[in-house]
Amino acid sequence: MSMIENFNHLQKIRFHALDNTVQSLFKSGNLNPDLLNYYIYFPDRITIFNNSHHPVTKFSIQEMSKDFKEMKDICASYNTEIIFINLPNNNFTGHIVIRTANDVLNSYFEKNNNIDSIYRSIAKNNNVPYIELTGHFIHLQNKSDYFFKYDGHPTAKGYAEIARCIGSQLIDQGKLKRKESVK
């Protein structure tokens, strides 16, 4: 609550632009206060990271590439493999989450998703196997059960779907073997 009380004028405007339930959840301590930092200080983060030509995104791509090279080297030293798994984000899958005024852009982002191609290129440039879940989540019919309504994190049903999808793709890529059913 003290965080909210110390907002400057612009930050107060951004806070009051949030859905009333989201404001109440933050005030009562029922939403992670770190999310409030994103909503107030970085309201355009999805728009920025979805633009591969934005300087912040270019910097992030370089840093992720460095990180993957380092992680790949660490994995190699332990004789294990690294896999880039791109988890679904409601902004790009059409799932209903109420957070900021920018959520009105979600249907645009679903049709104009550049982040997945950015991640795919990072994986390809680093010769790292890649799994993407966005398309699978776009095709799920129920758009309100897989992500928490007010914070966007996956629900138990969402995580179960993520696990099934990852497992299936790992089997398809030959990384895992399908368990034989017991008769």
Side-chain angles (χ1 to χ4, degrees), residues 5 28 32 44 57:
E5 291 168 355
S28 65
N32 180 336
D44 297 327
T57 307

PDB file of all heavy atoms in Angstrom, residues 5 28 32 44 57:
ATOM      1  N   GLU A   5       0.845   4.703  -2.354  1.00  0.00           N
ATOM      2  CA  GLU A   5       0.745   6.045  -1.765  1.00  0.00           C
ATOM      3  C   GLU A   5       1.887   6.955  -2.219  1.00  0.00           C
ATOM      4  O   GLU A   5       1.739   8.166  -2.244  1.00  0.00           O
ATOM      5  CB  GLU A   5       0.731   5.944  -0.245  1.00  0.00           C
ATOM      6  CG  GLU A   5      -0.538   5.314   0.299  1.00  0.00           C
ATOM      7  CD  GLU A   5      -0.429   4.949   1.777  1.00  0.00           C
ATOM      8  OE1 GLU A   5       0.663   5.087   2.374  1.00  0.00           O
ATOM      9  OE2 GLU A   5      -1.452   4.504   2.315  1.00  0.00           O
ATOM     10  N   SER A  28      -5.067  -4.768  -1.342  1.00  0.00           N
ATOM     11  CA  SER A  28      -5.259  -5.748  -0.269  1.00  0.00           C
ATOM     12  C   SER A  28      -4.097  -6.727  -0.147  1.00  0.00           C
ATOM     13  O   SER A  28      -4.106  -7.584   0.739  1.00  0.00           O
ATOM     14  CB  SER A  28      -6.568  -6.512  -0.494  1.00  0.00           C
ATOM     15  OG  SER A  28      -6.488  -7.283  -1.687  1.00  0.00           O
ATOM     16  N   ASN A  32       0.769 -10.087  -6.545  1.00  0.00           N
ATOM     17  CA  ASN A  32       2.206  -9.904  -6.386  1.00  0.00           C
ATOM     18  C   ASN A  32       2.581  -8.443  -6.679  1.00  0.00           C
ATOM     19  O   ASN A  32       2.357  -7.960  -7.782  1.00  0.00           O
ATOM     20  CB  ASN A  32       2.911 -10.854  -7.358  1.00  0.00           C
ATOM     21  CG  ASN A  32       4.403 -10.786  -7.301  1.00  0.00           C
ATOM     22  OD1 ASN A  32       4.994  -9.787  -6.885  1.00  0.00           O
ATOM     23  ND2 ASN A  32       5.041 -11.853  -7.732  1.00  0.00           N
ATOM     24  N   ASP A  44       4.353  -0.490 -21.555  1.00  0.00           N
ATOM     25  CA  ASP A  44       4.486  -0.798 -22.983  1.00  0.00           C
ATOM     26  C   ASP A  44       5.432  -1.957 -23.260  1.00  0.00           C
ATOM     27  O   ASP A  44       5.872  -2.152 -24.393  1.00  0.00           O
ATOM     28  CB  ASP A  44       4.983   0.444 -23.738  1.00  0.00           C
ATOM     29  CG  ASP A  44       4.007   1.597 -23.660  1.00  0.00           C
ATOM     30  OD1 ASP A  44       2.794   1.337 -23.625  1.00  0.00           O
ATOM     31  OD2 ASP A  44       4.456   2.744 -23.625  1.00  0.00           O
ATOM     32  N   THR A  57      14.687  -4.223 -27.554  1.00  0.00           N
ATOM     33  CA  THR A  57      14.528  -5.600 -28.012  1.00  0.00           C
ATOM     34  C   THR A  57      15.823  -6.106 -28.645  1.00  0.00           C
ATOM     35  O   THR A  57      16.236  -7.241 -28.386  1.00  0.00           O
ATOM     36  CB  THR A  57      13.357  -5.697 -29.006  1.00  0.00           C
ATOM     37  OG1 THR A  57      12.201  -5.122 -28.400  1.00  0.00           O
ATOM     38  CG2 THR A  57      13.080  -7.131 -29.389  1.00  0.00           C
TER      39      THR A  57
END
